[in-house]
Amino acid sequence: MEYKISENVKSVKPSAIREIFKYMSVPGLISFAAGNPSPESFPAEDMRTVADGIFATQASSALQYGSTEGYTPLRNQIKDRLKNKFNSFSENDELIITTGGQQGIDLCARAMLDPGDVVICESPTFIGALNAFRVCGAKTVGVELEDDGISIDGLEKALKENPKAKILYLIPTFQNPSGITTVQEKRKKVYKLAKKYGVIVLEDNPYGELRFSGKDVPTVKSLDTEGIVMYCSSFSKILSSGMRVGFLCGPKELIDRCVVIKQANDVHTNLFFQMLVSGYLEKYDLDAHIQTIRELYFKKSSLMISALENGLDPSIRFTHPEGGLFVWVTLPKGDSTDIFKTCIDKKIAVVDGKTFLPSPAPCSSVRLNYSTPTDQQISDGISIFCETVNDYIKR
Ligand SMILES: Cc1ncc(COP(=O)(O)O)c(C=O)c1O
């Protein structure tokens, strides 16, 4: 039988990050490849208390179907948090609970894109978003990501050259994979350009609350007076990634379309976990919990950064994130797939930078994660990593 697979789906490759899982069983391998939150960051005991309460008093609601838009108390809690803490929810907006932040990107893509449309992204960017756009048959066009955010000249050029651009996908804060944060000046310029060229900004902000140094930068959503910014995030990096609870908000008309698509997709996000998040927000202090995660990641990132500073050849550059989970290392020469394989031979797993490119291009960068490895693994592993890449560039 020759299976007639959708042409759009054929263009989507399995994530190289998932592929790395096959190396995970190699004895002694140290992995900097994951994008997982630290297991130490889950408030498991508090969540058990909330879960017990749900089963004691609301079991039949938790086990029943719910509404596609999401559990109303949770939606209201998130709206309040977005309004009061981030000025990122206006009276013209609506909000839907999604199955992780990933589904927010997917719904927005499905609501807006036709085959042949263009999505403009930072280059590099999050592979999960690239795949969501590609499944819709869209072309992804990358714009260079500079140390302070997307290149404004590059963005205007891409917008001019791609009249079929409908979405500008951005991760302005602690970007995945680079760790870079877009400065406020650039956010304003990006917003102006989006308005000028009539594209919707999809602002993806799963790491925004994980700042461990420097000053907060207002979201692009907070600048939106025209109803052109969709905003998605999730509880994956601040409570638990396995629960799969996220949200998408933006102009009511677009969210209404997303609700219809979600209905056809998974009917609604797991109701028990929505109730669990809601109960946690009611009973505990989420901000105090996030503060403990920030402290944990500050410690881990500092350990990684100082090991890189001490060990890397000065010609090798790397980002110094003020939050989030990642460091992006760029060698002065070489090929990222080759660098990945050379590291694997030394039992060090990193992510091949090419994975994150919206369109094929030469790449000599790899992504490192500091939230998952233990402190000992960071010390030992980064020392081996530095030796390996220092040797690599001398070849
Ligand atoms: C930039 C970015 N957006 C969205 C997601 C998806 O997050 P979630 O686990 O909430 O689906 C991730 C996950 O790593 C991410 O890095």
Side-chain angles (χ1 to χ4, degrees):
M1 170 74 186
E2 194 190 322
Y3 298 108
K4 295 184 178 125
I5 306 290
S6 147
E7 287 304 317
N8 296 341
V9 173
K10 274 187 197 162
S11 71
V12 178
K13 297 185 189 70
S15 157
I17 299 167
R18 302 272 153 219
E19 293 290 285
I20 291 170
F21 279 120
K22 65 183 176 219
Y23 296 104
M24 290 306 157
S25 53
V26 173
L29 181 116
I30 298 178
S31 177
F32 300 115
N36 296 355
S38 167
E40 288 171 61
S41 71
F42 304 140
E45 270 310 304
D46 294 345
M47 291 180 103
R48 189 167 77 162
T49 306
V50 179
D52 288 348
I54 293 170
F55 276 107
T57 60
Q58 295 170 277
S60 50
S61 306
L63 298 173
Q64 189 51 280
Y65 281 123
S67 80
T68 304
E69 289 86 345
Y71 182 57
T72 306
L74 178 61
R75 290 174 69 209
N76 290 337
Q77 285 162 312
I78 299 171
K79 286 177 192 176
D80 286 347
R81 193 169 166 83
L82 286 173
K83 265 185 232 164
N84 302 335
K85 232 184 143 200
F86 304 102
N87 185 27
S88 293
F89 191 86
S90 83
E91 56 187 19
N92 300 320
D93 284 334
E94 201 31 279
L95 180 141
I96 177 177
I97 304 290
T98 56
T99 300
Q102 176 69 38
Q103 192 184 46
I105 303 167
D106 184 64
L107 294 177
C108 187
R110 285 174 200 266
M112 296 198 59
L113 297 172
D114 292 307
D117 284 341
V118 169
V119 179
I120 298 180
C121 320
E122 295 145 334
S123 179
T125 192
F126 172 50
I127 177 68
L130 290 174
N131 282 343
F133 304 138
R134 287 170 183 155
V135 165
C136 294
K139 181 178 155 201
T140 53
V141 170
V143 174
E144 189 197 349
L145 185 59
E146 298 169 334
D147 290 346
D148 60 354
I150 194 166
S151 155
I152 297 298
D153 291 345
L155 176 58
E156 179 138 38
K157 185 166 173 280
L159 287 163
K160 265 190 198 145
E161 285 174 0
N162 291 284
K164 292 194 93 178
K166 274 191 183 161
I167 297 178
L168 168 57
Y169 171 71
L170 296 175
I171 314 159
T173 309
F174 316 135
Q175 205 247 12
N176 179 6
S178 67
I180 286 173
T181 292
T182 303
V183 295
Q184 176 67 347
E185 287 312 297
K186 278 199 169 178
R187 292 180 191 221
K188 289 183 187 159
K189 287 180 183 163
V190 163
Y191 181 76
K192 263 193 182 166
L193 284 177
K195 198 161 85 175
K196 178 172 166 190
Y197 287 89
V199 295
I200 289 288
V201 178
L202 173 55
E203 179 175 22
D204 184 12
N205 194 21
Y207 304 105
E209 301 223 40
L210 298 181
R211 176 175 286 283
F212 44 71
S213 65
K215 270 197 167 159
D216 278 334
V217 185
T219 62
V220 180
K221 182 89 183 87
S222 70
L223 305 171
D224 189 17
T225 50
E226 308 284 324
I228 60 165
V229 182
M230 296 283 272
Y231 179 94
C232 61
S233 184
S234 81
F235 291 92
S236 293
K237 305 299 188 307
I238 53 176
L239 271 184
S240 148
S241 45
M243 290 187 312
R244 313 303 302 132
V245 178
F247 55 92
L248 172 69
C249 72
K252 193 173 174 332
E253 201 183 318
L254 284 178
I255 294 293
D256 284 349
R257 301 318 304 161
C258 294
V259 172
V260 177
I261 300 163
K262 184 169 165 70
Q263 213 155 38
N265 191 304
D266 64 357
V267 184
H268 63 75
T269 293
N270 182 307
L271 187 53
F272 168 71
F273 281 117
Q274 293 188 65
M275 292 171 81
L276 187 59
V277 175
S278 176
Y280 182 89
L281 294 179
E282 201 180 295
K283 193 169 167 53
Y284 296 98
D285 182 350
L286 178 63
D287 290 324
H289 173 64
I290 291 173
Q291 187 53 31
T292 65
I293 307 180
R294 290 172 165 181
E295 283 160 19
L296 177 67
Y297 291 170
F298 177 67
K299 194 166 148 259
K300 285 185 171 293
S301 68
S302 305
L303 199 60
M304 181 175 275
I305 298 280
S306 60
L308 291 169
E309 271 165 357
N310 291 332
L312 281 182
D313 184 279
S315 67
I316 301 175
R317 292 180 296 118
F318 58 95
T319 54
H320 291 66
E322 295 184 332
L325 307 188
F326 306 112
V327 175
W328 183 246
V329 181
T330 302
L331 278 60
K333 61 178 193 184
D335 171 76
S336 56
T337 308
D338 220 23
I339 299 165
F340 160 74
K341 287 182 183 153
T342 311
C343 289
I344 281 287
D345 287 344
K346 300 283 180 186
K347 295 191 175 180
I348 299 295
V350 298
V351 188
D352 175 351
K354 266 187 224 145
T355 313
F356 306 102
L357 299 186
S359 30
C363 179
S364 60
S365 303
V366 293
R367 188 191 77 178
L368 302 179
N369 159 272
Y370 45 78
S371 57
T372 325
T374 62
D375 293 358
Q376 191 62 51
Q377 285 173 325
I378 294 178
S379 304
D380 297 346
I382 293 298
S383 158
I384 302 169
F385 171 76
C386 291
E387 257 175 52
T388 309
V389 292
N390 289 350
D391 284 350
Y392 179 89
I393 57 169
K394 286 187 198 121
R395 281 185 199 168

